[in-house]
Amino acid sequence: MLVGLACPLDTNKGERKMAFQRAAGYNNLPNGNFSPVIYSKQTQLAFRKSSVVEDITNNDYFGEIANFGDTVRIIKEPEITVKEYARGAQISPQDLDDEDFSLVVDKSNYFAFKVDDIEEAHSHVNFQSMASDRAGYRLKDQYDMEVLGYLSGFAQGSLGSVASTANTTVSGTKAVSTAGSDELLSSMQLKKGDFGSITTSSAGTHSIPIAARLPGASALPTATASPNMVVARMGRLLDTQFVDKDGRWLVVSPHFMEVLMDEDSRLLNSDYGEAGAIRNGLALNNLYGFKVYVSNNLPSVGTGPGTSGSANQNSNFGLVVGGHSSAVATASQITKTETYRDPDSFADIVRGMHLYGRKILRPEAIATAKYNIA
């Protein structure tokens, strides 16, 4: 690289100042033009967060949406009543129910930018291609944050931020009438009071204080719960709802994953994962029947799970969410991406729109836990 040989501009004098020192009285090539400024064609790309929503949700309805505002009506499996039979008894067939609920395609985001003809002609990098790539990532990242928040019972305060407030808006119609306004079942939402071994006096509705339970411990902790205890409890909740083990997933934050690995170093063992398994956020292939994903896009309230300075509380905490691949449906597509001439200048405008809908289909197949690092 020749960048280190550059002669930076002296902003005080409007002249180039040589990067190399010059001996007193030496006047050969005095302007330093032999050492030009070189701009690299290799641009620095920002880090990308992993997206997990496409891996953990059901996208069977992807092809059934077309335009903003479309509604997909989903028929629920009818319940069947089993009755006792005796010889000669008259059989009374039951009427089948055709209850349904709706997936409403009501989420749409866009990007738009322009590149002037002069900028395009004289630039040494393709800003249009580079910006388009970044725009696509930003749309996907926003989608990931919004959907992860929704299926965890939370909503975004603004675009581009993780969900941080309790969701009180039902999307379409509830899949289960007993679900709350967040479309989840309260019985599937873990909090401190669900761990009887924790004997601290703070409110049971507070977040679960998390700490690693190191090998050799002879009793359950009384002030905290371990990450493994939380994951096992979430698995038990799904078991009691008869949720299939095949297809289970778990999304955790880096804070939770760190304490989990402190507790059990075997998580890096091939018995738990596989070579190259960390892709699209997938960290572990099997932990108590869950595929484990790590994401920075989970809901975070206040200062989040790792920076609050206090264990169990209701103001600063994070969320862990687990479920089954049939629990949430998403229907997503970028409906329009186009380039056109700016009518007011000599420039090309590139714009795109992302249209999607999401719906909790089986709240009994979603378990959440709010927690703090103790």
Side-chain angles (χ1 to χ4, degrees):
M1 294 289 289
L2 298 179
V3 177
L5 304 179
C7 300
L9 187 68
D10 186 336
T11 55
N12 294 325
K13 299 179 180 179
E15 300 174 350
R16 289 192 182 281
K17 185 180 291 184
M18 290 187 63
F20 301 107
Q21 293 186 357
R22 184 174 59 182
Y26 185 78
N27 295 313
N28 192 43
L29 301 175
N31 294 322
N33 288 330
F34 73 93
S35 178
V37 175
I38 305 297
Y39 288 93
S40 173
K41 292 184 179 181
Q42 301 298 320
T43 58
Q44 184 184 55
L45 299 179
F47 290 119
R48 261 69 163 163
K49 288 184 283 184
S50 297
S51 176
V52 304
V53 164
E54 292 175 349
D55 283 358
I56 66 175
T57 59
N58 168 11
N59 57 15
D60 290 347
Y61 308 100
F62 177 87
E64 299 188 30
I65 67 171
N67 299 305
F68 187 83
D70 278 2
T71 299
V72 179
R73 303 201 69 85
I74 303 169
I75 306 297
K76 294 184 66 173
E77 179 183 51
E79 186 55 74
I80 299 297
T81 302
V82 175
K83 302 176 181 179
E84 185 178 7
Y85 176 72
R87 287 185 302 161
Q90 183 176 357
I91 295 175
S92 300
Q94 73 176 85
D95 294 327
L96 293 180
D97 192 7
D98 60 349
E99 183 182 356
D100 67 350
F101 51 90
S102 56
L103 185 161
V104 180
V105 181
D106 58 355
K107 297 292 180 181
S108 185
N109 301 308
Y110 81 94
F111 69 85
F113 64 87
K114 71 178 180 179
V115 179
D116 190 274
D117 288 355
I118 295 176
E119 297 166 344
E120 183 176 8
H122 292 273
S123 176
H124 64 295
V125 296
N126 189 336
F127 277 101
Q128 181 170 315
S129 175
M130 188 166 56
S132 296
D133 180 74
R134 186 64 177 175
Y137 162 71
R138 281 301 183 191
L139 283 178
K140 189 173 185 179
D141 191 44
Q142 161 59 26
Y143 168 69
D144 203 64
M145 282 188 283
E146 198 280 329
V147 176
L148 275 179
Y150 164 70
L151 63 84
S152 302
F154 284 77
Q156 288 178 298
S158 61
L159 289 181
S161 63
V162 297
S164 59
T165 59
N167 180 34
T168 57
T169 303
V170 176
S171 177
T173 54
K174 293 181 185 179
V176 175
S177 60
T178 55
S181 57
D182 58 4
E183 301 182 51
L184 299 176
L185 299 177
S186 60
S187 61
M188 302 294 287
Q189 300 177 49
L190 292 176
K191 48 198 177 298
K192 181 212 156 194
D194 293 309
F195 290 83
S197 58
I198 302 178
T199 57
T200 52
S201 60
S202 56
T205 57
H206 282 195
S207 57
I208 305 163
I210 296 294
R213 183 172 181 235
L214 300 179
S218 59
L220 290 176
T222 58
T224 62
S226 75
N228 274 308
M229 290 170 63
V230 174
V231 176
R233 182 66 58 89
M234 295 173 78
R236 191 258 286 171
L237 290 179
L238 295 177
D239 286 343
T240 59
Q241 296 290 342
F242 309 106
V243 177
D244 293 342
K245 287 189 177 295
D246 186 26
R248 290 188 185 184
W249 50 262
L250 180 72
V251 185
V252 303
S253 72
H255 296 91
F256 191 94
M257 190 65 186
E258 178 187 21
V259 182
L260 182 61
M261 294 176 71
D262 284 343
E263 181 172 276
D264 194 342
S265 61
R266 294 177 302 164
L267 295 178
L268 293 177
N269 190 296
S270 60
D271 292 339
Y272 287 81
E274 65 179 28
I278 301 180
R279 56 185 183 274
N280 293 327
L282 177 62
L284 297 171
N285 277 313
N286 190 351
L287 179 65
Y288 300 131
F290 293 99
K291 276 191 172 183
V292 181
Y293 296 82
V294 179
S295 175
N296 281 311
N297 287 343
L298 283 167
S300 179
V301 176
T303 53
T307 57
S308 65
S310 179
N312 41 283
Q313 55 175 286
N314 243 1
S315 300
N316 307 289
F317 59 86
L319 264 291
V320 175
V321 61
H324 189 266
S325 56
S326 65
V328 182
T330 53
S332 172
Q333 67 185 99
I334 295 181
T335 55
K336 294 184 184 296
T337 302
E338 58 189 18
T339 302
Y340 67 97
R341 294 296 292 173
D342 183 5
D344 299 319
S345 66
F346 293 100
D348 288 328
I349 294 179
V350 181
R351 65 185 182 183
M353 182 177 68
H354 184 201
L355 172 72
Y356 70 93
R358 72 286 189 273
K359 183 62 185 174
I360 295 174
L361 305 180
R362 299 176 184 271
E364 69 276 15
I366 299 176
T368 65
K370 64 178 186 178
Y371 75 98
N372 272 92
I373 305 299

